[in-house]
Amino acid sequence: MQREILLWCVGAPAAVSLACLLLAFWVARREHWLTQYVVPAIATLGWCAAIAVTLVIRQEFDASALSWWNLEAWQQIHVPLTLTALFLALTATPQARAHEFRWVAATLGCIALAMVAMPSGEGWVDLFPEHRAWMAAVAGASLLNLWMLDQMSRRGTERWILLVALAGLAGPTILAATAYAGLAEWGFAAIVATLVFAVGAACLPKQNLWCVAYPATLFAVCTTAAGRFYTYEDHPAWLYGLLLLTPSCIGAVDWILRNRPTYARIAVAAVLAGLIIGVAAWFLLARTSQY
């Protein structure tokens, strides 16, 4: 069992991500105006494909009987997540960023994602009253995180912005680990895939590989929502808020320090991320160990 987890939650997403990263490197060497669109698209779709492999194999989907309606909400989010992230990656050029329509479309994508992320069916009837608040939280946190990361990318953070996305994935994955093993495995695959692209972005910062932050932060928000509905613990609202808005918290502090040297901004971001992850881990794991 442990060998299978290492293979499909670490090895498989790492291999798919690395293959797509090498393809992006190869395309980036071609001097063509389409490169600015193709490279971030390859990176974004590669990240989504990497975590899809883990989902399909670990959940043992039967292709002949597979149906959208048979999937759980946390599995269905992969479709609107991929489409929203791909749109943002394709419009991450300086020219496209100037259009207001970009964020109108992103808002619609976040709303669709929030609607899909809510579990439905007879088994969830007792939690239906919470759906409205959580849909608003998922849509709002997704949009705010996307905007914050997009703004960070304009301040010379292309080499390390994916580390912020990694920090945003850590807390939700810990929450998932205390609630549902399948969800936790998917979260770990997302961390591995993001780490691979983070290395690539550090080596090739001008090719918009940082756009992987788009699907990563959307995934983190949806994982937090799924963790809420699958856990039996009554965690406080402030903890969920912290997990939902980790990238925005780091982005806000970085905006304050925008005129400081890069090393100082990275150091502060690392300390803040460590504090957020530490608080979340201590609170979640401490409460779980009591039972």
Side-chain angles (χ1 to χ4, degrees):
M1 178 62 71
Q2 292 181 349
R3 185 175 299 175
E4 291 182 359
I5 292 176
L6 287 175
L7 175 62
W8 297 113
C9 298
V10 179
V16 173
S17 299
L18 182 58
C20 292
L21 183 62
L22 293 176
L23 177 60
F25 279 176
W26 180 79
V27 172
R29 296 178 61 184
R30 307 286 175 173
E31 295 184 0
H32 195 280
W33 67 272
L34 283 175
T35 300
Q36 61 181 333
Y37 301 103
V38 176
V39 171
I42 291 174
T44 300
L45 291 176
W47 188 95
C48 293
I51 67 169
V53 169
T54 297
L55 176 66
V56 171
I57 300 299
R58 291 299 296 162
Q59 296 301 307
E60 299 180 349
F61 288 151
D62 182 359
S64 61
L66 185 61
S67 169
W68 168 270
W69 307 110
N70 294 334
L71 299 176
E72 297 182 52
W74 63 272
Q75 299 166 344
Q76 292 177 337
I77 61 103
H78 196 275
V79 173
L81 182 153
T82 301
L83 294 176
T84 303
L86 180 60
F87 169 78
L88 288 170
L90 290 172
T91 57
T93 60
Q95 301 87 347
R97 283 180 170 186
H99 293 285
E100 295 180 356
F101 172 75
R102 183 173 187 253
W103 288 107
V104 173
T107 301
L108 295 177
C110 291
I111 293 174
L113 184 66
M115 294 175 65
V116 173
M118 297 299 105
S120 59
E122 296 181 358
W124 302 97
V125 174
D126 57 327
L127 291 174
F128 281 177
E130 297 188 26
H131 277 198
R132 184 175 300 177
W134 268 96
M135 276 194 287
V138 169
S142 297
L143 188 60
L144 182 58
N145 287 339
L146 290 173
W147 185 80
M148 278 290 192
L149 290 174
D150 192 80
Q151 293 299 307
M152 278 191 70
S153 70
R154 305 185 190 199
R155 301 194 294 266
T157 63
E158 295 92 342
R159 289 185 183 274
W160 56 276
I161 193 172
L162 284 181
L163 299 180
V164 178
L166 272 173
L169 286 166
T173 302
I174 296 173
L175 172 63
T178 65
Y180 189 9
L183 183 62
E185 290 177 357
W186 208 23
F188 196 73
I191 290 176
V192 172
T194 306
L195 183 59
V196 172
F197 282 104
V199 174
C203 299
L204 202 66
K206 299 302 181 182
Q207 295 299 329
N208 283 353
L209 291 175
W210 66 266
C211 286
V212 167
Y214 291 138
T217 191
L218 291 175
F219 182 90
V221 171
C222 291
T223 301
T224 302
R228 159 65 191 95
F229 287 105
Y230 278 96
T231 187
Y232 292 101
E233 300 292 338
D234 187 19
H235 298 307
W238 66 262
L239 179 61
Y240 289 117
L242 192 64
L243 297 179
L244 288 170
L245 297 173
T246 296
S248 292
C249 293
I250 299 174
V253 173
D254 182 73
W255 179 82
I256 296 173
L257 302 175
R258 62 189 181 281
N259 295 323
R260 300 293 182 179
T262 300
Y263 71 86
R265 293 166 61 193
I266 295 176
V268 172
V271 171
L272 181 57
L275 287 174
I276 293 174
I277 296 171
V279 169
W282 177 83
F283 197 90
L284 290 168
L285 299 179
R287 295 197 66 175
T288 302
S289 64
Q290 294 177 0
Y291 297 92

